[in-house]
Every structure is written in C-alpha cells, then in structure tokens.
Amino acid sequence: MKKLTVMLVLLLLSACSNPDLENTNDVTLRFWDESEPVGNEEFIKEERDIDTFVSATESAEVLEQGTVINTPPLLRYTLRQDEENLDYHLWITEQGEGYIQSLIPEGTRTYQLDEESVESLEGFLEGYETVAFLDEVTFE
C-alpha cells in the first residue's frame, strides 16, 4: 500500500510540472514595445543562451490558477523542439522580479521566476539596447 501511495504522489507531481524541455533545439525571440510586437523574430542557437531560457522556464513556480498579467510583456519567446513549440511571454521589472506566462490553447498559466533565473535573463538581455525593464507588473 505504501508503494502505491508513493507512486501515485510521484505521478501527480510529474503531471503538474513544467513540460520536458531538454529537447529544445533553439529559442525564438520576438520583442514587444508597449502593447504590440516589434521587429523581426530572432533565433537563438547558442547552447548557453538556450540553457538560460530553458533553465528559467523549468525552475519557474506556478502562481495561483487564473492569475493573469495585464502589463504588456518585454518579449515573447518560443522554445522550439522536435515535435512542438512552447510559447511564453516574459516580464522583468527594474526591481528584479520576473514572470512568464505560458501561451497554450487550453489556457495560460502564470509563473514567477526565481532570483537566479531573473539575473541570468537580465544578463542575456543586456546585449539588446532596445530592452527596457519594466517599472512594475500589474495583475488582473
């Protein structure tokens, strides 16, 4: 009985976790200005940079169901895999807070990024002159 309980708990935890992101081939970025995307998509193929986005996505903590961000994102990123593409919006504030929302047909989920992930993403984004971190993020 104890083994069955442990197996059920592990099954439930794995069903609620982020998708397997190890097979990410590249990342596509689309920057936003105010409430709409601007410029062309950029393809990130450097393994170190891909790992920055994959790691941040994997370690993000899901917020309460129904939590939606009103503030326009800094960018949309797509983790491109062999079989599917996983789309997210990204927000980083000047105070070092970070959030992502998964963009899935059955409903978005909002996640909070940990401090290490925010720092890694800030470091990556410093290479882009047009990126200005947000004053604040507002929720519905």
Side-chain angles (χ1 to χ4, degrees), residues 80-93:
R80 294 170 21 112
Q81 301 182 326
D82 293 332
E83 299 296 320
E84 67 180 317
N85 295 332
L86 303 170
D87 297 312
Y88 299 88
H89 279 159
L90 171 69
W91 293 262
I92 297 178
T93 68

Side-chain angles (χ1 to χ4, degrees), residues 12-126:
L12 287 171
L13 288 174
S14 66
C16 297
S17 65
N18 290 337
D20 177 24
L21 304 176
E22 290 181 22
N23 298 323
T24 300
N25 300 318
D26 60 62
V27 178
T28 304
L29 303 178
R30 183 78 187 260
F31 291 93
W32 282 57
D33 184 18
E34 298 297 324
S35 61
E36 59 186 54
V38 295
N40 296 322
E41 290 183 337
E42 291 193 34
F43 296 93
I44 307 301
K45 294 194 177 277
E46 290 290 323
E47 189 172 337
R48 178 186 76 242
D49 297 332
I50 292 170
D51 288 345
T52 296
F53 284 90
V54 168
S55 177
T57 306
E58 286 180 326
S59 64
E61 295 290 326
V62 68
L63 296 177
E64 185 177 318
Q65 186 72 16
T67 303
V68 178
I69 298 174
N70 286 333
T71 309
L74 289 177
L75 60 90
R76 175 184 179 151
Y77 69 95
T78 302
L79 302 177
R80 294 170 21 112
Q81 301 182 326
D82 293 332
E83 299 296 320
E84 67 180 317
N85 295 332
L86 303 170
D87 297 312
Y88 299 88
H89 279 159
L90 171 69
W91 293 262
I92 297 178
T93 68
E94 292 176 351
Q95 295 77 30
E97 296 174 323
Y99 302 93
I100 59 173
Q101 273 182 339
S102 62
L103 307 175
I104 52 177
E106 56 271 4
T108 63
R109 287 202 175 123
T110 303
Y111 301 82
Q112 184 165 12
L113 299 172
D114 62 29
E115 186 177 324
E116 184 178 323
S117 295
V118 172
E119 289 174 1
S120 295
L121 289 165
E122 285 174 335
F124 173 83
L125 293 170
E126 284 176 353

